[in-house]
Amino acid sequence: MAHSAPGLPSHDWCSVHSSADSLAPEWLVVPDDANALAPGVWPRSSVRSPDGQILLGGMTASEIAGQYGTPVMVLDEDEVRTRARSFRDAFAAATGRHGTTARVYYAGKAFLSTAIARWVTDEGLNVDVCTRGELEIALAADVDPARIGFHGNNKSRDEIERAVSVGIGTIVVDSAIEIERVAEISERLGAVQRVLVRVNSGVHAETHDFLATAHEDQKFGMPFADAVTAVARIRELASLEFLGLHCHIGSQIFGVAGFRESASRVLELHEQLRAGGEVPLLNLGGGFGIAYTSVDDPTPIEQLAAEIVDAVAEGCAQRGIPMPALAFEPGRAIVGTAGVTLYEVGTTKPVRLGSDESRLYVSVDGGMSDNARPALYGAQYSARIASRTSDVEPALVRVVGKHCESGDIVVDHEYLPGDITPGDLLAVPATGAYCASLSSNYNHVPRPAVVAVSAGASRIIVRGETIDDLLSRDAGISTKEGAR
Ligand code: LLP
C-alpha cells in the first residue's frame, strides 16, 4: 500500500496525457485538480486528511485498507441515515401540504444487510424486499413485518407462505396467477393479506433499456385493462384486501417528467377502480437518479418530492377524487453515494492506439465481480487516488479489474495524476447501490467485505469471503467422504 514502487517500469507519462485527449468522451474534462472530490458523488464526510489521504467517516483510506484489506466496500453510515431521513421528511412535507401521508420504503435490492435495514427503519423508512433472501435479512434485523413490502414477478409459494405467515404488510401482485396463489395461501393460513396490483403505465423512462420497467414489452406489471379484471377478482376474494396500484417506471431517472406522466396515467385507472370500492394507496415506485460522476446533476429530493406529489394532487383535483396516501421506493438514492470501494493498484500499462494516442490502463485487485455495472449497463464511474495526493499532470486512464475478460472495466474514462503507481489505493465513489448486491464469484474471486464507517470508527457489516468459503461449496473438496 506504500506509494513508492521501486523497480517498476517508468512510463512516458506525457504520451498518455493530452489536454484535449481524443480518446476521452466529450463529457469528461481535464480536471484542474485530479485530487479533488466532486461534491454529490462522494459521501459528505469525505475530505482529504492533512497528509492527503481520503477520509471516509473520519478514517483514512490506508487505515481502512490496512485493517480490512482490499478490495473493500466502505459504507458511510451517516450518509445512509441522512439520505433516508431526507426522503422521509421530503415526502412527508410534500404530502402533508395536500392533506395526505407518504410511506417511504427502502428498496433492499440496492443493497441489504441487517445493519442497513436497522439504519433505514430507525430513520422511519419501511423496507421493500423481492426475494425470500431479502425478506429473511429484514426479519433478522427485527424489522416489523408490517413495515415490509414484497415485490417480484415470480414469487414462489414458499416465499408467499413465509411472507403471509410472518404478517408482511403488503404484497405487490404482478399477475393473475399470483393473485390466486396469494389468496389460496392466505386463506389456508387464516390471514387477510393486503395487496397492491403492479401496473405498467407504458412510460418509457429515459434510462438504460435494462433499467426501464414500464414500457410495454417487458415482464413487470399488468396492462391497465388486465388490472381492472385483476382488481375485481381481488375484491371477490375474502383472503385478500385491495390497497391500491403500484407502478415503477425504471431506475437512475433524472428529472420528474417520467414520474409525472406515469402518475397521471395511473390516476386514470385509480379513478376507474374507485367505482368498485376504496383505493386508499398509490405506490409510485423508486428510480431516483444519483450522481456517479461530476457531470451528473440529480434533482434535489425536496424538489422531486414536491413536484411529483403536486402532480398527483393536480391529477386528483382534476378528477374530483380525494388524494390517496402515497408510497415510494427509493433504493439507489439512499445507499448509492454512501458507498466507496477501495482497491489497490496492481499494475499500470500505457496502451498505444495510434501514433499519438494512448491510454493508461490501471489494474486493480477487484473488478466486475464486485462491480458488474460497467459491464452490464455501460455505467460510468469516477476514481481518485485515495492514499495520497499528487501534483503530477493528469493522465487519461481506464481502471480495469483482474478478471479474464476484456469488458472487466471499473472506470471507463478518468483523469488521474500521471504518476499513479502500483501500491496506490484507488477509491471509486458511488458504489453503494447495486454493486455488492450484484457481486459474483466470477473467476473464483471472493466477494469483498462491506465495512461501515462513522465518526472515526469502522466495523464489518458483511464479512468478506475467504478462499475457504469458495472451496467449501465444491462437493469434491468439502467432505472427503462425499467426494467419493
Ligand atoms: N421498486 C421497484 C419495484 C424496483 O424494481 C426497483 C428497482 C426499485 C423500487 C428501486 O429502484 P432505485 O430507486 O434503486 O432506482 N441493477 C440495476 C438497477 C435495477 C433496479 C431494479 N429495480 C442497476 O445497477 O442500475
Side-chain angles (χ1 to χ4, degrees):
M1 250 123 20
H3 164 219
S4 61
L8 288 159
S10 65
H11 305 305
D12 171 7
W13 297 112
C14 294
S15 68
V16 294
H17 169 250
S18 151
S19 52
D21 207 305
S22 58
L23 294 174
E26 251 175 46
W27 57 263
L28 185 69
V29 294
V30 184
D32 292 338
D33 176 3
N35 305 297
L37 310 180
V41 180
W42 295 79
R44 273 158 270 217
S45 76
S46 297
V47 287
R48 293 273 178 189
S49 67
D51 68 346
Q53 294 202 51
I54 293 180
L55 281 167
L56 299 166
M59 293 193 64
T60 64
S62 38
E63 276 170 336
I64 298 169
Q67 201 167 338
Y68 303 103
T70 53
V72 59
M73 145 81 82
V74 185
L75 206 58
D76 185 319
E77 176 176 346
D78 302 342
E79 184 73 20
V80 175
R81 286 181 179 273
T82 304
R83 296 182 74 89
R85 265 198 310 278
S86 52
F87 266 86
R88 183 200 63 193
D89 293 347
F91 279 109
T95 49
R97 285 194 289 273
H98 296 287
T100 187
T101 56
R103 300 181 196 175
V104 181
Y105 289 79
Y106 167 63
K109 65 207 82 185
F111 177 42
L112 197 60
S113 75
T114 52
I116 296 169
R118 289 189 186 111
W119 300 343
V120 297
T121 48
D122 273 359
E123 302 302 336
L125 303 199
N126 305 286
V127 179
D128 150 24
V129 300
C130 67
T131 60
R132 171 89 191 249
E134 289 181 2
L135 173 61
E136 295 302 336
I137 296 275
L139 294 174
D142 288 327
V143 176
D144 175 358
R147 288 174 66 181
I148 305 176
F150 203 138
H151 264 290
N153 65 302
N154 185 18
K155 303 171 197 78
S156 68
R157 285 176 190 282
D158 164 72
E159 288 174 320
I160 297 168
E161 182 145 350
R162 176 74 170 144
V164 175
S165 65
V166 299
I168 201 154
T170 54
I171 294 183
V172 182
V173 292
D174 199 276
S175 64
I177 291 174
E178 195 178 67
I179 291 170
E180 303 304 325
R181 223 173 254 167
V182 177
E184 177 221 302
I185 292 169
S186 305
E187 191 181 344
R188 182 157 42 79
L189 295 174
V192 176
Q193 182 59 52
R194 297 176 145 195
V195 295
L196 287 101
V197 170
R198 181 159 179 180
V199 293
N200 186 335
S201 66
V203 171
H204 191 160
E206 279 182 27
T207 184
H208 189 286
D209 245 16
F210 294 171
L211 305 183
T213 54
H215 57 103
E216 287 85 352
D217 194 6
Q218 50 78 36
K219 68 177 185 170
F220 292 110
M222 298 186 202
F224 281 15
D226 298 352
V228 173
T229 319
V231 172
R233 177 67 182 143
I234 291 168
R235 283 174 165 156
E236 276 170 17
L237 292 161
S239 61
L240 300 184
E241 180 186 340
F242 177 64
L243 276 193
L245 298 173
H246 174 285
C247 184
H248 168 80
I249 57 171
S251 211
Q252 185 56 4
I253 298 167
F254 287 143
V256 292
F259 293 105
R260 288 176 68 102
E261 178 57 28
S262 179
S264 131
R265 293 190 197 180
V266 175
L267 270 180
E268 199 179 315
L269 179 60
H270 176 98
E271 180 186 10
Q272 201 181 329
L273 295 172
R274 281 173 44 84
E278 296 277 292
V279 190
L281 185 67
L282 175 61
N283 187 326
L284 292 172
F288 312 104
I290 62 165
Y292 282 97
T293 72
S294 57
V295 295
D296 292 329
D297 187 19
T299 313
I301 175 58
E302 293 72 19
Q303 188 184 336
L304 263 182
E307 290 188 22
I308 295 171
V309 174
D310 286 354
V312 177
E314 231 171 82
C316 288
Q318 275 163 10
R319 295 181 159 78
I321 58 174
M323 226 0 217
L326 299 180
F328 297 90
E329 298 169 341
R332 186 192 316 267
I334 306 287
V335 288
T337 53
V340 176
T341 306
L342 290 179
Y343 301 97
E344 184 178 332
V345 175
T347 65
T348 59
K349 176 165 57 180
V351 173
R352 280 174 219 290
L353 299 164
S355 54
D356 59 354
E357 281 185 332
S358 71
R359 194 196 299 281
L360 182 66
Y361 275 75
V362 173
S363 294
V364 295
D365 50 357
M368 64 193 297
S369 54
D370 58 78
N371 187 356
R373 299 192 69 261
L376 273 177
Y377 317 115
Q380 300 295 334
Y381 283 85
S382 65
R384 285 291 176 252
I385 297 176
S387 40
R388 63 186 176 97
T389 52
S390 163
D391 293 333
V392 172
E393 242 195 299
L396 181 67
V397 306
R398 175 165 287 160
V399 181
V400 294
K402 62 179 280 130
H403 294 277
C404 288
E405 188 144 329
S406 53
D408 174 26
I409 289 167
V410 178
V411 182
D412 212 3
H413 310 282
E414 180 58 293
Y415 285 103
L416 288 176
D419 62 345
I420 185 166
T421 194
D424 279 337
L425 289 176
L426 191 80
V428 176
T431 55
Y434 303 108
C435 289
S437 57
L438 278 171
S439 64
S440 77
N441 289 127
Y442 184 38
N443 296 143
H444 280 249
V445 170
R447 282 174 288 192
V450 184
V451 169
V453 290
S454 174
S458 66
R459 68 187 166 107
I460 288 186
I461 58 169
V462 180
R463 78 163 170 82
E465 280 174 331
T466 62
I467 291 292
D468 281 346
D469 286 330
L470 299 180
L471 295 184
S472 68
R473 297 184 64 234
D474 186 315
I477 304 171
S478 50
T479 59
K480 291 229 162 70
E481 260 94 84
R484 288 197 195 103

